[in-house]
Amino acid sequence: LPEHHNIWAFSEQASYVGGDLYDIILMPDSSILAYVADISGKGVAAALLMASLSTKLRTEAHSHQNINKLLQTVNESMYTLMSDEGYFATIILIRYSPVTGRVQFIRAGHPTPLWIKDDELKVIEPLKGISLGVLQDVEYQIQEIQLAPGNSLVLFSDGVNEAENEIHELFGDDRLTDCISRLEGPPWGHHIVEAVKAWRGEAEVNDDLTVLEMWQENH
């Protein structure tokens, strides 16, 4: 990606084959298509489905300006692969223009992204969106926000808020909010990852952990 694009990502697998997936695709109009996805289950079968999802998104990305149409096409393909076996995938898919700060996103069964504005979390009211591979002919709802200078958008998997410590307590949404209120950014992603790792301590990693952040520079 060009140097002026402020993007940071981290992904850690809980086992030798993870179920989390993220990608960043530069589009012809200089916008960015990006996503974080999570395949149900672990192991080889989940990894093969993850590879199929990645390939399908990359293949279809340049054919659809509308991210709803893109995800509908991807869902049809994943339904064929997943439904009989009982698998599904959650995803948060965004289209982001670094020049204007405009962000369109679709949430399909995935944690709602964090919009950090003036060093505080701005609430994004989540719209319902069914996970990939569950039903055919799904209509997704596009939400839109505007990232002003100094704003950040953080996509993450549930390995963040559902991370467990040695006594199986969850990291949770409140600690995530507290982490942001105590520290300085953007970027914020590396702070979140370090806070989750500190919370886990010596506990066995219970889920894949993925964080993808993009932010607008302060002028």
Side-chain angles (χ1 to χ4, degrees):
L1 290 173
E3 291 183 3
H4 66 276
H5 289 354
N6 298 314
I7 298 178
W8 182 91
F10 173 88
S11 192
E12 175 187 58
Q13 299 175 355
S15 61
Y16 77 99
V17 178
D20 276 8
L21 173 67
Y22 78 88
D23 201 359
I24 301 160
I25 304 167
L26 186 61
M27 303 297 285
D29 64 355
S30 297
S31 68
I32 292 168
L33 192 74
Y35 65 87
V36 171
D38 187 358
I39 305 288
S40 62
K42 297 289 185 288
V44 175
L48 291 173
L49 290 170
M50 182 170 64
S52 296
L53 176 57
S54 172
T55 300
K56 189 65 177 176
L57 277 160
R58 281 246 162 200
T59 301
E60 297 290 342
H62 292 81
S63 300
H64 302 276
Q65 289 293 319
N66 185 300
I67 58 173
N68 176 38
K69 297 297 184 185
L70 170 59
L71 206 58
Q72 283 181 319
T73 302
V74 171
N75 178 65
E76 289 296 315
S77 177
M78 299 315 294
Y79 178 82
T80 302
L81 292 173
M82 292 179 167
S83 58
D84 289 345
E85 304 300 325
Y87 285 92
F88 63 90
T90 69
I91 190 171
I92 180 81
L93 172 71
I94 74 162
R95 188 165 190 151
Y96 163 56
S97 172
V99 175
T100 65
R102 181 189 186 209
V103 179
Q104 291 184 316
F105 67 92
I106 291 174
R107 172 181 167 270
H110 203 83
T112 304
L114 306 176
W115 179 12
I116 306 171
K117 184 176 183 180
D118 301 324
D119 297 338
E120 294 182 353
L121 274 177
K122 186 171 177 62
V123 175
I124 298 176
E125 293 296 337
L127 298 179
K128 290 183 179 179
I130 194 165
S131 302
L132 301 178
V134 177
L135 294 174
Q136 289 182 296
D137 302 319
V138 176
E139 184 79 19
Y140 296 100
Q141 295 178 292
I142 298 175
Q143 294 179 262
E144 185 170 323
I145 63 171
Q146 185 74 31
L147 293 185
N151 285 196
S152 180
L153 187 70
V154 181
L155 318 182
F156 61 98
S157 65
D158 59 11
V160 172
N161 51 344
E162 295 182 7
E164 294 182 357
N165 64 8
E166 293 95 332
I167 57 174
H168 303 294
E169 292 177 320
L170 299 182
F171 184 71
D173 295 334
D174 289 344
R175 288 183 182 85
L176 187 54
T177 302
D178 182 61
C179 170
I180 291 165
S181 67
R182 290 185 295 102
L183 300 167
E184 293 184 358
W188 303 88
H190 65 284
H191 293 313
I192 293 170
V193 169
E194 291 306 313
V196 170
K197 288 184 174 181
W199 170 256
R200 286 197 311 228
E202 299 301 317
E204 182 179 352
V205 178
N206 64 301
D207 198 1
D208 302 329
L209 171 64
T210 301
V211 177
L212 172 62
E213 178 180 16
M214 52 216 64
W215 66 96
Q216 294 286 106
E217 285 284 5
N218 264 316
H219 300 308

